[in-house]
Amino acid sequence: HGPVDFFRVRGGQAFLVLLPNPKAVESSVRKLLVVTGVFLICIIVLLGTYTVWVSREIGRLMKLGERFSRRLAEGDLTESPAVWSDDELGTLMDNLRASFRGLVRVAREMRGASASVDEEAARLSAASGELAASVAEQTGLAKEAERMARDSGSGARETALSMEKVASATQDVS
C-alpha cells in the first residue's frame, strides 16, 4: 500500500485510487478549520452588531413614542411624531399619528364651537339687557298709570262730593 492502491469491486473490475499524503490532508484540514473559525467569528460579530443596532433603534423608537404619548396626554397638540418604520413599532406610531390628527381635528372643532357659543352668549346678553330696559320702562309706565288712576279716583271722589253738595244745595233751594 502506497500513494496508489487498487480496489476490487464485485464483478472482478479493479479501480485505481490515488491516496493522499497524510501530512497534506492534515494541513488542508487545519487550513479549513482556521477559515471556518474565522468565518464563524465574522458571522457572530456581524450578528452581534446587527442585534445591538436593532436594539438601539427599537429603544429610540420607543423613547420617541413614549415622549409623544406623554405630550399628548398633557394636551400638547403642537408636534406630530416623526417616526416611520415597517414593523410593529411603525404600526404603533402610525396609530398614534392617526389619534393625534383626530385630536387636532376635535380641538379645532371645539374652538369653533366655543367661538359660536361665545357669540350666542353675547347676543343673549344684549337681548337680556334690552329686555331689562323694556321691563324697567314698562314698570315706570305702569306706576305712572297707577298714579294717574289714583289721582283720577281722588278727582272723581271730589267731583262726586261736589255734585252731592250741589244737589243738596239745589234741594235746599227748591
Side-chain angles (χ1 to χ4, degrees):
H1 293 274
V4 176
D5 202 356
F6 287 100
F7 290 96
R8 294 216 181 263
V9 186
R10 276 187 244 167
Q13 290 181 328
F15 290 96
L16 179 65
V17 177
L18 181 60
L19 296 175
N21 182 354
K23 289 189 181 205
V25 170
E26 185 180 320
S27 173
S28 295
V29 168
R30 268 194 216 133
K31 287 177 185 176
L32 183 62
L33 286 175
V34 168
V35 168
T36 303
V38 169
F39 179 75
L40 286 176
I41 289 172
C42 288
I43 293 293
I44 290 171
V45 167
L46 285 174
L47 285 175
T49 303
Y50 179 73
T51 303
V52 168
W53 177 79
V54 167
S55 298
R56 285 186 179 170
E57 186 65 16
I58 289 171
R60 184 185 70 81
L61 293 174
M62 292 300 289
K63 282 182 183 179
L64 287 172
E66 184 271 333
R67 190 168 47 232
F68 171 72
S69 64
R70 187 173 1 95
R71 283 195 325 263
L72 193 61
E74 292 169 354
D76 181 4
L77 300 177
T78 58
E79 188 178 332
S80 176
V83 175
W84 286 269
S85 179
D86 293 332
D87 57 4
E88 293 81 8
L89 285 174
T91 303
L92 174 67
M93 295 309 285
D94 288 343
N95 292 338
L96 280 173
R97 267 192 297 279
S99 298
F100 174 79
R101 284 191 298 271
L103 286 173
V104 167
R105 188 185 76 251
V106 167
R108 254 189 248 120
E109 290 171 1
M110 292 296 288
R111 279 193 296 266
S114 175
S116 296
V117 167
D118 289 346
E119 289 172 10
E120 193 61 32
R123 246 184 298 166
L124 286 173
S125 177
S128 174
E130 291 173 7
L131 183 62
S134 176
V135 165
E137 181 183 348
Q138 288 179 2
T139 301
L141 290 174
K143 285 182 181 179
E144 181 65 25
E146 178 188 10
R147 186 190 59 75
M148 289 173 74
R150 244 186 284 122
D151 290 349
S152 168
S154 296
R157 264 183 269 145
E158 289 176 11
T159 304
L161 283 173
S162 297
M163 288 180 88
E164 280 180 20
K165 287 181 186 176
V166 168
S168 191
T170 307
Q171 279 182 356
D172 287 344
V173 173
S174 17

